[in-house]
Amino acid sequence: VWREPSKAVGDPGTPEGNTAIIERLTEEFWNQKSISVLEETHSADFIAHNPAVRGNPFDFESYKRICLAYMAAFPDLGAVNAEVIAEGDKVVTRWIATGTHLGKFGDAPPTGRPVRFEGITIYRVADGRIVEEWWSYNLLGLLQQLGVAPSMW
């Protein structure tokens, strides 16, 4: 369920500048595992919308905890932005993530299986920081690859 948007306001920046922030997040956080980049790119009043996660929407500390849980479950997790569209204060990415399930993921013990999943994230930027994100990704497909959800067909 999507909730009310963040009330954070500020300079919307430029599509090019906002895209650079998102590309930095993808490369330095998701691919290089630089945890400090999360705090450098996100606002203190950040809100994340992810219907797949209990407590949606959630604040920055919860978002950080969830991101780190993905990294613990898939230590070699990497992402690529297959498409990026930017307009005004928003940047939309269609991304592809790959990794190996080497740590606990929710209730699923490590399987050693390689995974690949895709999603779309909408980012909103104000004053040079991400203030809001909306996530939609193939969690069912990821769980099926881990063998914890049945294949539908």
Side-chain angles (χ1 to χ4, degrees):
V1 176
W2 299 109
R3 304 283 189 211
E4 288 296 313
S6 165
K7 303 216 183 324
V9 295
D11 177 5
T14 65
E16 297 80 13
N18 295 341
T19 297
I21 293 166
I22 304 314
E23 293 289 0
R24 178 178 181 221
L25 175 68
T26 301
E27 182 55 33
E28 294 182 30
F29 177 71
W30 291 110
N31 295 331
Q32 296 175 16
K33 314 298 185 251
S34 175
I35 309 304
S36 64
V37 169
L38 273 184
E39 293 178 7
E40 295 168 14
T41 56
H42 289 75
S43 170
D45 55 359
F46 167 83
I47 293 177
H49 304 269
N50 183 340
V53 175
R54 263 183 247 124
N56 176 57
F58 42 92
D59 63 14
F60 177 76
E61 289 304 319
S62 297
Y63 169 77
K64 181 177 176 180
R65 181 180 41 79
I66 292 163
C67 291
L68 294 176
Y70 269 84
M71 285 186 172
F74 307 95
D76 61 344
L77 184 69
V80 62
N81 291 327
E83 292 186 67
V84 179
I85 301 167
E87 183 175 322
D89 64 350
K90 301 219 177 40
V91 178
V92 179
T93 61
R94 182 179 66 81
W95 49 265
I96 302 166
T98 58
T100 310
H101 183 217
L102 300 175
K104 188 175 178 188
F105 183 66
D107 293 332
T111 63
R113 294 180 179 178
V115 298
R116 179 184 191 276
F117 59 106
E118 300 182 23
I120 295 173
T121 304
I122 303 169
Y123 300 88
R124 187 166 71 85
V125 177
D127 293 329
R129 294 197 179 232
I130 301 165
V131 295
E132 194 161 19
E133 296 178 10
W134 293 264
W135 289 77
S136 181
Y137 57 100
N138 187 2
L139 180 59
L140 176 60
L142 173 59
L143 296 174
Q144 288 171 334
Q145 292 173 70
L146 300 180
V148 297
S151 177
M152 298 304 290
W153 344 159

